[in-house]
């Protein structure tokens, strides 16, 4: 009998990692992601895998976000040598993502080891290196959407567009077990319908087991039109206040949507005289990759970009400044007002946004705008929850800047869209809810039963389900 064990994103939002086992498949890992959060970043980086990496036959990657891909180098370091299946765009995004993560990891490790050396403690060895990242990239097998791919003698894989970020996929695995055909569908992260940049998530209708994310299983997002109106109002108020706007943004997905929305506001004459700074070398590299794939994305949202030489980084947004070097980034500190600063990391667990906070978050003229999910334990979550004081670079810092949240920009499906997606399965599969905090999954599970008569399970970390 096939089983699936849940080693991450079980009653939590980050660390996606699910192990599918079957005699005809062997052992196949669905995602291999990092836990994200202030403590989790360090704790998880030192954790051992709860399975033998050398025994894993293949990895199937739903998309490039680090909470789904970030532990691949550690997996390779610890003995994994199989193929890593992903979409073509994901294969392009991964080098940027993984090398950036390596740089941050090595910096954090060196900082920790300096403290340990001063205290006479032994150094912490690195869990992976550049060579491991390079090996991950050598194991990638890029696969086009809707292209059946054999992953065993009696098993096949198909990716479908999940509409979450560039290259994000719904994973469908079909295999035979004792002569019986079985199908697993894993949603990965499902995107919202009707966004300007991404296609709507693909609907599937038959499976034996469905693993579905429930990040926003307990609530809906604001209407996009209302969100754009709120965004415009926030920017106008911030401009009148004479301050600057800081937007912590995920380099993959959210940044590109933001640039599109800002460009549309500018073209409509509704952006005042803001200067926009994309202060993230990683986001700049990722946006270049998005520009290559624009013709495959939502035609309605990007047709103005596909019609000529204009792209998200070129000509579309005339006041956009790309800041690559640390010197360019520090120069933004001299701007007293009129700057919209888009910088990583999206949950404020590091990166250039924390430096901008250090220089500006204590000033009530400034505004922080959150446009994405903030996981428990992150600095972003503390700010969204109304913290009046936070610790930045070891120092307590007062929070006097205005903090705003724009839920309508989320790249995740809301509760209603999750219910609609899973309700399309017409053969009553086993439904398992993952990638959501316990409370959100409980609400989603209850609502599925109340409204649709769908029974769902919510596994704990380490639990194994047979099907």
């Amino acid at each position: 009998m096939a089983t699936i064990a849940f080693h991450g994103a079980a009653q939590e939002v980050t660390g996606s990692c699910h192990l599918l086992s079957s005699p005809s498949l062997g052992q196949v890992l669905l995602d291999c992601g990092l836990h994200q959060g202030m403590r989790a970043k360090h704790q998880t980086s030192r954790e051992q895998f709860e399975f033998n990496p050398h025994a894993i036959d293949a990895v199937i990657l739903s998309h490039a976000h680090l909470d789904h891909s970030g532990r691949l180098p550690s997996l390779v370091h610890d003995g994994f040598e199989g193929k890593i299946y992903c979409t073509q765009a994901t294969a392009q995004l991964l080098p940027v993502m993984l090398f950036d993560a390596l740089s941050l990891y090595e910096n954090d490790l060196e900082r920790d080891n300096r403290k340990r050396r001063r205290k006479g403690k032994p150094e912490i060895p690195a869990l992976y290196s550049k060579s491991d990242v390079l090996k991950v990239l050598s194991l990638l097998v890029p696969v086009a959407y809707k292209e059946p791919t054999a992953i065993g003698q009696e098993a096949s894989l198909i990716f479908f567009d999940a509409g979450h970020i560039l290259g994000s996929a719904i994973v469908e695995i079909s295999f035979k077990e004792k002569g019986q055909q079985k199908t697993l569908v894993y949603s990965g992260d499902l995107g919202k319908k009707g966004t300007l940049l991404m296609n709507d998530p693909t609907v599937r209708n038959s499976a034996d087991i469905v693993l579905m994310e429930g990040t926003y299983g307990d609530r809906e997002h604001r209407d996009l039109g209302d969100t754009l109106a709120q965004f415009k109002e926030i920017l106008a108020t911030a401009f009148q206040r004479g301050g600057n706007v800081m937007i912590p943004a995920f380099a993959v997905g959210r940044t590109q949507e933001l640039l599109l929305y800002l460009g549309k506001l500018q073209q409509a004459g509704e952006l005042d005289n803001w200067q926009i700074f994309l202060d993230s070398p990683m986001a700049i590299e990722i946006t270049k990759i998005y520009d290559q794939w624009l013709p495959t994305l939502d035609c309605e949202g990007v047709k103005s970009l596909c019609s000529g030489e204009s792209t998200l980084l070129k000509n579309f947004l005339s006041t956009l400044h790309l800041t690559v070097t640390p010197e360019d980034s520090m120069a933004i500190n001299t701007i007293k007002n009129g700057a919209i600063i888009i910088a990583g990391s999206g949950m404020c667990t590091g990166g250039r946004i924390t430096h901008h906070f250090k220089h500006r978050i204590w000033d009530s003229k400034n505004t922080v705008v959150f446009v994405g999910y903030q996981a428990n334990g992150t600095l972003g979550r503390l700010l969204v929850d109304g913290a009046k004081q936070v610790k930045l670079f070891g120092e307590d810092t007062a929070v006097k800047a205005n903090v705003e949240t724009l839920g309508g920009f989320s790249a995740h499906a809301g509760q209603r869209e999750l219910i609609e997606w899973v309700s399309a399965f017409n053969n009553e599969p086993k439904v398992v809810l993952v990638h959501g905090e316990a409370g959100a999954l409980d609400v989603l599970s209850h609502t599925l039963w109340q409204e649709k008569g769908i029974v769902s399970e919510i596994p704990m970390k380490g639990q194994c389900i047979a099907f």
Side-chain angles (χ1 to χ4, degrees):
M1 180 172 284
T3 62
I4 185 155
F6 302 89
H7 295 291
Q11 300 187 34
E12 60 182 344
V13 168
T14 65
S16 183
C17 187
H18 315 297
L19 180 55
L20 172 63
S21 301
S22 167
S24 62
L25 269 174
Q27 296 196 68
V28 175
L29 204 60
L30 303 175
D31 289 338
C32 189
L34 279 173
H35 286 78
Q36 293 177 311
M38 302 298 278
R39 293 183 179 177
K41 179 173 66 172
H42 298 286
Q43 177 185 344
T44 308
S45 67
R46 295 167 192 160
E47 282 180 356
Q48 298 297 311
F49 288 103
E50 297 163 323
F51 47 84
N52 179 5
H54 194 267
I56 302 299
D57 296 292
V59 175
I60 299 173
L61 200 58
S62 66
H63 64 286
H65 274 152
L66 289 175
D67 64 322
H68 293 256
S69 70
R71 294 190 79 193
L72 286 172
S74 292
L75 190 76
V76 163
H77 183 87
D78 288 358
F80 172 72
E81 296 181 332
K83 295 178 179 178
I84 302 171
Y85 297 92
C86 63
T87 64
Q88 295 166 316
T90 295
Q92 280 188 263
L93 293 171
L94 273 177
V96 184
M97 303 291 288
L98 295 181
F99 279 119
D100 183 78
L102 172 65
S103 176
L104 294 174
Y105 170 64
E106 289 179 335
N107 288 340
D108 285 344
L109 184 64
E110 175 56 28
R111 188 180 304 113
D112 288 348
N113 280 334
R114 278 201 304 269
K115 293 177 182 178
R116 296 178 72 86
R117 287 194 294 269
R118 285 197 294 266
K119 296 177 181 178
K121 295 182 178 180
E123 293 189 10
I124 302 167
L127 290 183
Y128 72 96
S129 64
K130 180 180 178 180
S131 63
D132 296 312
V133 174
L134 290 171
K135 185 169 181 180
V136 167
L137 301 179
S138 74
L139 297 175
L140 295 181
V141 180
V143 178
Y145 286 129
K146 300 182 181 180
E147 180 180 292
T149 301
I151 57 172
Q153 288 188 344
E154 296 183 294
S156 65
L157 158 73
I158 307 179
F159 288 127
F160 296 94
D161 194 342
H164 174 60
I165 63 167
L166 180 66
S168 61
I170 295 163
V171 176
E172 185 170 297
I173 302 171
S174 297
F175 57 98
K176 282 188 177 179
E177 191 171 73
K178 296 181 180 179
Q180 181 182 0
Q181 188 78 11
K182 289 191 174 182
T183 300
L184 175 146
V185 172
Y186 169 45
S187 72
D189 285 358
L190 290 173
K192 279 180 61 183
K193 294 173 69 174
T195 65
L196 288 178
L197 190 56
M198 301 307 301
N199 297 307
D200 289 349
T202 307
V203 175
R204 306 303 300 149
N205 53 33
S206 181
D208 294 285
I209 185 170
V210 176
L211 274 58
M212 183 178 75
E213 68 116 324
T215 310
Y216 287 95
D218 59 344
R219 56 197 185 277
E220 297 296 342
H221 302 304
R222 292 193 64 174
D223 174 83
L224 182 57
D226 292 342
T227 300
L228 284 171
Q230 183 189 2
F231 191 30
K232 184 170 66 174
E233 182 179 335
I234 289 170
L235 293 179
T237 301
F239 198 82
Q240 292 170 4
R241 198 181 283 126
N244 295 286
V245 173
M246 296 168 282
I247 306 179
F250 298 93
V252 185
R254 200 59 39 83
T255 291
Q256 293 73 36
E257 292 271 2
L258 269 174
L259 294 177
L260 187 56
Y261 294 133
L262 288 167
K264 291 180 76 69
L265 286 175
Q266 185 184 77
Q267 291 179 2
E270 298 174 338
L271 199 57
D272 295 318
N273 290 314
W274 288 104
Q275 294 294 306
I276 300 158
F277 294 87
L278 181 51
D279 189 22
S280 167
M282 180 180 169
I284 292 168
E285 288 303 308
I286 294 294
T287 307
K288 290 177 182 177
I289 297 172
Y290 264 75
D291 283 343
Q292 296 173 29
W293 289 88
L294 282 177
T296 72
L297 301 179
D298 189 328
C299 293
E300 183 61 31
V302 300
K303 61 184 179 183
S304 62
L305 301 181
C306 298
S307 59
E309 295 185 359
S310 179
T311 66
L312 288 168
L313 285 180
K314 182 180 177 185
N315 302 327
F316 182 63
L317 191 53
S318 64
T319 57
L320 177 64
H321 305 275
L322 307 179
T323 56
V324 176
T325 68
E327 292 75 20
D328 291 337
S329 179
M330 288 186 284
I332 300 173
N333 295 332
T334 64
I335 299 174
K336 301 301 181 185
N337 54 63
I340 297 174
I341 306 160
I342 303 169
S345 66
M347 296 186 191
C348 313
T349 53
R352 292 184 178 182
I353 195 66
T354 55
H355 291 272
H356 293 296
F357 282 174
K358 179 182 178 182
H359 286 275
R360 304 184 190 277
I361 206 167
W362 45 265
D363 189 339
S364 61
K365 293 196 298 292
N366 296 319
T367 302
V368 180
V369 181
F370 286 99
V371 294
Y373 186 84
Q374 303 300 310
N376 271 329
T378 62
L379 174 57
R381 184 63 166 263
L382 290 174
L383 292 169
V384 167
D385 287 345
K388 300 301 180 186
Q389 185 169 281
V390 294
K391 194 171 288 289
L392 292 170
F393 303 99
E395 296 181 2
D396 291 329
T397 305
V399 179
K400 295 185 179 179
N402 302 273
V403 178
E404 304 279 358
T405 301
L406 288 173
F409 281 155
S410 175
H412 286 268
Q415 184 195 72
R416 187 55 40 200
E417 291 177 334
L418 291 170
I419 292 172
E420 180 183 336
W421 185 81
V422 78
S423 298
F425 288 89
N426 53 30
N427 63 332
E428 298 185 3
K430 183 188 290 285
V431 175
V432 181
L433 304 179
V434 296
H435 203 285
E437 292 174 7
L441 297 184
D442 283 341
V443 171
L444 179 58
S445 180
H446 178 74
T447 308
L448 282 171
W449 170 246
Q450 288 287 98
E451 293 188 7
K452 302 292 183 179
I454 295 174
V455 176
S456 55
E457 298 184 47
I458 304 173
M460 297 183 296
K461 187 176 180 182
Q463 186 176 338
C464 188
I465 292 177
F467 67 99

